[in-house]
């Protein structure tokens, strides 16, 4: 079985689509996971690691009022990060991670609170945005485990979006091959 990053690069290559990544708590791990795959340069546009809250607004266009009211660890912030990096880097798909890896709570959120998001192109089948999906996670483990599970989760979220746009046998094969991603 191939890794989620390998499968992601394969699917995006076949589709002729690109990806950009916005990261906070993962600090570049998502980009590293994708770019470790041979051939990633065909699909990977780039990434923004906006660890500081003000950079989420300045570089990714996250609403400053939202950041002031909710803090950086919020589902809407994750969604806006994904949309912002997609626009800023000119990609078909944008994915984002924000959350609390620890050791201390942040913005009133406990350690292990993570939001991952995907923003994508219009889909022919639904006529609505393919992205705009956010997953709320409550992860256990130490800082490293929370960060790695966040990487896995955001890649899985995008793989589910891509699989949702496929048809027939292709979808069934991908679900089987990816163990239900």
């Amino acid at each position: 079985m191939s890794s989620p990053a390998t499968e992601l690069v394969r699917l995006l290559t076949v589709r002729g689509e690109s990806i950009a990544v916005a990261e906070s708590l993962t600090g570049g791990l998502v980009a590293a996971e994708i770019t470790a795959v041979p051939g990633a340069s065909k699909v990977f546009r780039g990434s923004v690691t906006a660890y500081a809250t003000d950079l989420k607004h300045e570089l990714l266009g996250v609403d400053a009022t939202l950041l002031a009211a909710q803090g950086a660890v919020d589902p809407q912030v994750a969604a806006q990060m994904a949309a912002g990096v997609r626009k800023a880097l000119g990609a078909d798909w944008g994915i984002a991670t924000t959350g609390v890896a620890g050791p201390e709570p942040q913005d009133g959120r406990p350690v292990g609170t993570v939001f991952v998001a995907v923003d994508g192109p219009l889909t022919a089948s639904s006529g609505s945005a393919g992205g705009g999906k956010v997953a709320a996670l409550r992860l256990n483990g130490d800082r490293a485990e929370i960060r790695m599970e966040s990487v896995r989760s955001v890649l899985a979220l995008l793989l589910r979006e891509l699989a949702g746009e496929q048809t027939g046998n292709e979808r069934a094969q991908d679900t089987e091959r990816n163990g239900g991603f």
Side-chain angles (χ1 to χ4, degrees), residues 27-168:
L29 293 172
V30 177
E33 190 78 9
I34 294 169
T35 59
V37 177
S41 60
K42 294 176 187 158
V43 301
F44 187 76
R45 294 278 301 154
S47 65
V48 174
T49 300
Y51 213 65
T53 300
D54 60 318
L55 293 180
K56 291 172 181 64
H57 170 68
E58 292 169 18
L59 297 178
L60 299 171
V62 176
D63 184 87
T65 307
L66 172 65
L67 288 167
Q70 299 299 320
V73 183
D74 181 81
Q76 287 181 278
V77 170
Q80 289 185 20
M81 286 173 65
V85 79
R86 178 180 171 222
K87 181 180 178 186
L89 301 186
D92 297 300
W93 293 92
I95 60 176
T97 63
T98 188
V100 186
E104 302 295 323
Q106 178 186 336
D107 297 332
R109 302 278 193 167
V111 172
T113 302
V114 175
F115 298 98
V116 296
V118 170
D119 188 73
L122 294 179
T123 60
S125 59
S126 67
S128 63
K133 302 277 193 234
V134 178
L137 309 172
R138 184 67 180 97
L139 304 176
N140 295 311
D142 65 20
R143 183 175 172 81
E145 291 167 331
I146 290 169
R147 293 176 68 199
M148 288 313 298
E149 184 59 22
S150 299
V151 172
R152 190 203 68 74
S153 296
V154 76
L155 294 177
L157 183 63
L158 180 53
L159 283 169
R160 283 193 301 272
E161 284 299 299
L162 292 171
E165 291 189 352
Q166 296 172 6
T167 57

